[in-house]
Amino acid sequence: MFDGMQRRVVSLWFPRLASSRVLRRYPLDGPFALTIKQNNANRLYCLNAEATQQGLHQGMPYSDARAFCPDLQTALADLPQDQRFLQILRRWAIRYCPWVGLEGRDGLVLDVSGSAHIFGGEEGMLSDMRARLMRAGLSVQIGLADTRGAAWALAHHGEGVASPGEMLPALQTLPVAALRLDEKTSVALTRLGLRKIGDLAAAPRALLTRRFGPDVLMRLDQALGQQPEEIMPLADPPHYGVRMTLPDPIGLVSDVMAGTERLLIQLCAKLKAQEMGARVLAVTLRRVDQDQQEVELRLARPLRDPHRILPLFERGLAGVDAGFGIDQLRLEATQVEALPVRQISHTLERGKDQLDDLISRLGTRIGLENIQRFLPADSHIPERSFIIAPAAYCEPQSGWASPNPRPLCLFPPEPIAASGPHPPEQFRWRRMFLTTGRATGPERIAPEWWLEDDSWRSGLRDYWRVDTIQGRRLWLFYTPQNPGWFVQGEFP
């Protein structure tokens, strides 16, 4: 702000931000409200105008609201989506001034000093804001004043405009809650007879400080402009996208790869500056006939090395139909992850990077989700001692320690004809007659009683490692509670 310029602040309050966001996408007629679970009870979170006219209010139990208004239509609140929508509104508000910040979870604050004349003055600017927001289906209350506190008070308690330098006359009839005080302090001030901001401004400051501390007078002084309060604009998140417009159309795969390499070098420099790595990359190729084709690359690990990423694009770019030529290339990292800088040393293993590149290359053909690895699980049940997870989204683990050996080939139990608690000397399995040469065991495993599993209804299992004369090394178990023998695995 230039020296001597009168500061002017606009506060935009969206009292029905969450419900308006939903109704913009799914228009409904009649009373509507979003619900949220609080203290083990489903309560109303945000209502539209029709629901408010029916006597419903925020925080009301859902069951009581349905009793008052049987026609009430509801949906679950999505707080992260509401915040993303507020961020979109913040970016939209930059059209009026560069200094735009968030005001709670349902408001914006704008420092419009020196920019109102662009829209025909303050009145024209506020009319333009209101008209655009109404066309977007959003209800808004607007306050304009010299200070952030006064603008907030006017937006939330008596929508209006305070003339420059006239903060107290514009605020003196508003309740003390308009000073952004907590509910407990506002109630205590009201009980003392200080119901309006004018009453509070006329009260002895020393008594207020002794009774309520410095916060009450600080909020009053901020609203009246006697204490500064800054507006901290939020920086836009970094955008990981680069573009190249070509003077002449290209069509050869080698030319497209060369252009993609130049874009990768620029993009990876941005990623390195932010210590981020790309997980999903997309190349958009615009043809001279304005048609577009997109080639997506999903990586097994976050990367920012252009020389490792470029060969992975070759198969996808080779299948692009260039038509009459491509005149623009655009590369964007649509999904990124943190990738801190690592210390370079001779002890780093390059085999892991080669494996990640192999997984990425195979994933472009069959899908990253179809390349899986086994991970250890915390269970003594053989069938539950491992999980299968996509290799691109997990790290290999080494917690496979077991006091007893386990077979590499594990299959559902297959019954065999035998009796007694000791392994049979001869038995038939998979149309083969086998003779026991050596048996090691038993290892008793009890079922996990807290989990429902039909295959363990027979109770305890006594496992034996049986080496047959024919060379097969099998894993057998006996169920003493429901006598029977089964084969469940085979050792190499």
Side-chain angles (χ1 to χ4, degrees), residues 143-156:
L144 174 62
D146 292 350
T147 65
R148 180 176 182 176
W152 188 95
L154 292 171
H156 288 73

Side-chain angles (χ1 to χ4, degrees), residues 278-279 299-303 352 356 360 373 391-396:
R279 281 300 297 264
L299 301 173
R301 291 289 180 272
L303 290 179
K352 183 178 182 302
D356 293 340
S360 299
R373 64 160 50 104
Y393 306 109
C394 63
E395 294 287 347

Side-chain angles (χ1 to χ4, degrees), residues 67 171 246 264 321 377 439 476:
L171 301 179
L246 304 171
L264 271 173
D321 181 12
L476 281 67

Side-chain angles (χ1 to χ4, degrees), residues 351-371:
K352 183 178 182 302
D353 294 339
Q354 296 174 357
L355 177 61
D356 293 340
D357 293 346
L358 176 61
I359 294 175
S360 299
R361 189 180 297 274
L362 294 176
T364 59
R365 301 191 177 200
I366 64 175
L368 288 177
E369 291 79 6
N370 296 322
I371 306 174

Side-chain angles (χ1 to χ4, degrees), residues 243-246 284-286 292 326-330:
R243 181 172 54 186
M244 175 191 298
T245 301
L246 304 171
T284 304
L285 303 101
R286 191 188 69 182
Q292 292 187 353
I326 297 170
D327 62 357
Q328 187 181 93
L329 300 175
R330 188 175 187 275

Side-chain angles (χ1 to χ4, degrees), residues 244 246 250 254-264 310 329:
M244 175 191 298
L246 304 171
I250 60 175
S254 58
D255 294 338
V256 176
M257 289 290 292
T260 304
E261 182 180 11
R262 293 181 61 180
L263 294 179
L264 271 173
L310 182 63
L329 300 175

Side-chain angles (χ1 to χ4, degrees), residues 28-42:
L28 296 173
D29 294 329
F32 173 79
L34 295 176
T35 62
I36 191 171
K37 193 170 184 179
Q38 295 178 338
N39 300 326
N40 296 325
N42 204 17

Side-chain angles (χ1 to χ4, degrees), residues 379-386 400-410 440 442-446 456 461-465 473-476 488-492:
S379 177
H380 62 273
I381 301 298
E383 301 94 314
R384 298 178 184 154
S385 60
F386 65 91
W400 293 98
S402 176
N404 298 290
R406 294 287 185 263
L408 292 181
C409 180
L410 198 65
T440 305
E443 176 191 356
R444 172 161 290 186
I445 298 180
W456 279 79
R461 294 181 181 180
D462 290 336
Y463 280 89
W464 294 79
R465 181 177 178 181
R473 307 173 66 196
L474 304 177
W475 207 37
L476 281 67
Q488 192 180 3
E490 186 173 6
F491 292 91

